[in-house]
Amino acid sequence: IQIDGYGGYDVLFDETSKRVRVGCMAHVLRKFKDVVSSLPKDERANHSAHKVMAKIKELYQIEDQLRECSFEQRYEKRIELNAAEILEDIQELVAERLRSVSKNSPYFGALQYAENELEGIAKYLEHGMIELDNNHAENAIRPFAVGRRNWLFICTEKGAQASANIYSLLITAKANNIEPFTYLNKVIEELPSCKTLEDYERLLPL
């Protein structure tokens, strides 16, 4: 499950869970950008956060070259283009900065966040299917986030869970080039006849 460092997600990864947590580099990069943008203009250009951001951008430059590759090719190319070494450089740079930055500064907060997340982010190197960040998923659900004030009738936990289930199905259908309205009609028609787990799984938009 590829997510940011929000603590609310911790419940998904208790001791009995088989889920694997993968971090999001975009959120790490955003923290450093926020630090730089909060500084007086005459202090921005030379701030050491730029060194961390430059290293992160090297990883994104590698990913830009791999957009049309298969999962297997992406995995192999990341090794070939030294993504692991670059990520190690970022971890060392973050650790070094943490030792010299005031704990009360926003920069320390960005560094601390990065240190906490980089181990999970490194898991993207284990399989070509995994992205460097979860921007694709976040962009997919953005219309729901923008419109959620229109849906204040979702005032119970069960209502929120039902809505999340439907949103997930529809976005997954779109991601697999399945027309959402037709798909949802099919699910509604066939659900009453489902008896086994296999029956339900056959309705998934894969």
Side-chain angles (χ1 to χ4, degrees), residues 94-111:
V94 167
E96 176 191 325
R97 294 286 185 270
L98 272 172
R99 291 192 291 269
S100 59
V101 173
S102 168
K103 292 184 178 181
N104 297 321
S105 69
Y107 188 27
F108 182 87
L111 290 164

Side-chain angles (χ1 to χ4, degrees), residues 166-188 190 200-206:
I166 293 172
Y167 303 154
S168 296
L169 283 172
L170 294 181
I171 290 299
T172 305
K174 289 175 66 176
N176 287 282
N177 298 314
I178 300 171
E179 201 283 311
F181 182 77
T182 303
Y183 167 72
L184 193 58
N185 273 340
K186 177 185 176 183
V187 170
I188 293 171
E190 297 189 17
Y200 289 106
E201 289 180 338
R202 276 196 291 271
L203 295 180
L204 292 173
L206 304 175

Side-chain angles (χ1 to χ4, degrees), residues 32-51 53 105-107:
F32 290 107
K33 286 182 176 179
D34 290 344
V35 168
V36 173
S37 64
S38 69
L39 295 170
K41 289 185 178 179
D42 59 342
E43 297 179 15
R44 294 178 185 176
N46 297 319
H47 196 276
S48 63
H50 285 291
K51 292 185 178 180
M53 290 192 291
S105 69
Y107 188 27

